Amino acid sequence: MLTTTPPVAAVPAVPQPRGRRARPRAGRLATVAVFLAPALALFLLLVVAPILVAGYASAYKWNGFGLPENFVGLDNFTRAFGDPTFRGDLWRALVLIGLSLVVQLPVALGLAMLLNQPLKGRGVYRLIFFAPYVLSEVTTAVLFTLVFSPNRGLGDGLARWLGADAGTVFADPDTVLFALFLVISWKYFGFHMVLYLAGRQSIPRELTEAATTDGASAWQAFRHVTLPLLGPTIRVSVFLSVIGTIQLFDMVWVLTGGGPIHSSETMAVTMYQYGFRRFEVGYASAISIIMFVLSFAFALFYQRVIMRRDTEGAITTKGVQR
C-alpha cells in the first residue's frame, strides 16, 4: 500500500527590518574604530602635527622663542638651495647611497649566499655578522671613535704596523666620508644579509636543483634562478638603504659632528646645527621639509614604479585568498 505525504505549505518569508542588517556592520566598524583610534591619534600627534608645524615655521624667520612673526615666504628654501653647505649635503648623500648600492649591499648578498650553504658553525657566523646591527648608532660611533683614536686605538695601531696612519681618518676631509661609510657598512650590512638570507630560504630548492640537473653551473643557477626570485627582497633592501641614508644623523654627529670643514655633514646634521645651535628654527624647518619631500617623493616613485610588480602580486594573492 502506497502512502503519499501531503505537500507542505510554503511558509512566507518574514521580512527583516533593515536596521538588523546594518547593526552587525556598524558593530564591526565601531570595533575597528576603537582599535584604530589610539594608533591614529599617535600618528597624528607624532607624525602629521610635526610636519605641519615645520611647514608653518619654514615660512618665517624665527629663532624658536615666542610666536613666529617675520614672514619670509619661500626665502628659507631659496637660501637652502643656494647654500654651498646644504648642496654639499645633497652630494654627500648621493655618494653614500652610491657606495651602499655598489659595495655594502653586494657584500651582504654574497655573505647571505655563503651562509646559506651547509657550512659548519654557520649559525655562529650569522650571529657574529648580525650582532653589529643590534648596537645603537651612538654606541657604534663611540666604539669606532675609540678604535681609530690616535696612538691608542686598535685600528690606528694596526694601520701604523702596516705603514699607514688611521688616527686621522676622521680628521682628514679627503678620507672622513669613506671612513664614515665603513662604519655605516659595519653597522648595517648584517641587517641586509639577514634580509637576503630570509629571501633565499623562501626559494624552493627544487628550482636550483632542476637548473643544475639541466646543466647550469652554480653561477648560472644563481644568475638566472636565484637572483630574479630575490628581486623583491633586493628592492626592499635598496629602499631601506636609501631612506636611511637621507635621514642619517646620530652616527655622524657622535663621530665627527659634521666636520672637518663640513666634509662629513649630512642634511640632518645641518638641520640640527641651525635649529639647536644657531637658533635659526625657520631655516632648520625648511631643511626638514626638504628632507621630508625628498624621502616622500622617492618612496612614492619607488613603490609606484620599481616595486609596482611586487605590490600588484601581493594584492592579487590577497584577493585570491579571500
Side-chain angles (χ1 to χ4, degrees):
M1 180 178 180
L2 298 176
T3 58
T4 58
T5 305
V8 179
V11 179
V14 180
Q16 297 290 334
R18 294 183 179 179
R20 292 186 180 180
R21 292 185 179 179
R23 284 177 186 174
R25 184 176 182 182
R28 289 195 298 269
L29 292 177
T31 304
V32 171
V34 168
F35 283 98
L36 187 62
L40 183 60
L42 289 175
F43 179 78
L44 293 175
L45 180 64
L46 301 179
V47 178
V48 177
I51 294 173
L52 296 177
V53 172
Y56 175 76
S58 67
Y60 290 84
K61 186 178 180 180
W62 183 41
N63 61 2
F65 299 97
L67 295 176
E69 297 179 353
N70 190 2
F71 181 79
V72 295
L74 299 177
D75 288 353
N76 285 324
F77 296 93
T78 305
R79 175 186 171 186
F81 287 108
D83 185 1
T85 300
F86 183 75
R87 292 202 304 268
D89 296 343
L90 295 174
W91 169 249
R92 284 183 287 274
L94 290 176
V95 170
L96 290 175
I97 290 172
L99 289 174
S100 297
L101 298 181
V102 173
V103 179
Q104 179 185 359
L105 300 188
V107 169
L109 178 60
L111 283 174
M113 297 302 102
L114 179 63
L115 294 179
N116 189 58
Q117 303 299 319
L119 300 175
K120 184 178 181 180
R122 64 179 179 178
V124 177
Y125 293 127
R126 292 175 183 176
L127 177 63
I128 292 174
F129 289 137
F130 183 73
Y133 179 71
V134 180
L135 301 176
S136 67
E137 292 191 349
V138 174
T139 303
T140 302
V142 172
L143 175 63
F144 274 88
T145 301
L146 297 175
V147 168
F148 289 106
S149 176
N151 302 319
R152 294 182 299 173
L154 177 63
D156 183 62
L158 180 61
R160 289 181 183 276
W161 182 73
L162 295 174
D165 184 10
T168 61
V169 291
F170 291 119
D172 188 347
D174 296 329
T175 60
V176 63
L177 193 62
F178 299 100
L180 181 62
F181 171 72
L182 175 65
V183 180
I184 295 172
S185 298
W186 183 86
K187 171 78 168 67
Y188 288 106
F189 88 97
F191 169 74
H192 295 283
M193 181 199 71
V194 170
L195 282 182
Y196 297 143
L197 189 60
R200 176 62 184 87
Q201 292 178 347
S202 66
I203 299 175
R205 185 178 299 177
E206 292 79 5
L207 296 178
T208 55
E209 291 178 351
T212 305
T213 303
D214 290 339
S217 63
W219 166 251
Q220 290 174 335
F222 172 77
R223 171 65 180 84
H224 298 286
V225 178
T226 304
L227 194 60
L229 293 176
L230 275 177
T233 305
I234 294 175
R235 286 186 280 272
V236 170
S237 176
V238 171
F239 176 79
L240 295 176
S241 180
V242 173
I243 293 296
T245 303
I246 294 175
Q247 302 174 356
L248 187 63
F249 172 73
D250 306 42
M251 193 179 299
V252 179
W253 181 253
V254 176
L255 271 173
T256 65
I261 322 175
H262 308 290
S263 54
S264 66
E265 199 161 303
T266 63
M267 288 182 284
V269 172
T270 302
M271 178 189 67
Y272 180 85
Q273 290 275 17
Y274 279 98
F276 295 94
R277 289 290 184 89
R278 305 183 186 184
F279 297 102
E280 298 184 32
V281 178
Y283 181 54
S285 299
I287 295 177
S288 69
I289 292 298
I290 294 174
M291 291 175 57
F292 168 74
V293 171
L294 289 176
S295 300
F296 183 77
F298 172 76
L300 189 63
F301 167 80
Y302 198 84
Q303 293 185 8
R304 290 292 182 90
V305 178
I306 308 300
M307 300 181 66
R308 181 177 180 181
R309 295 195 325 184
D310 303 334
T311 55
E312 287 179 352
I315 294 173
T316 303
T317 304
K318 186 176 180 181
V320 171
Q321 290 176 352
R322 286 184 177 179

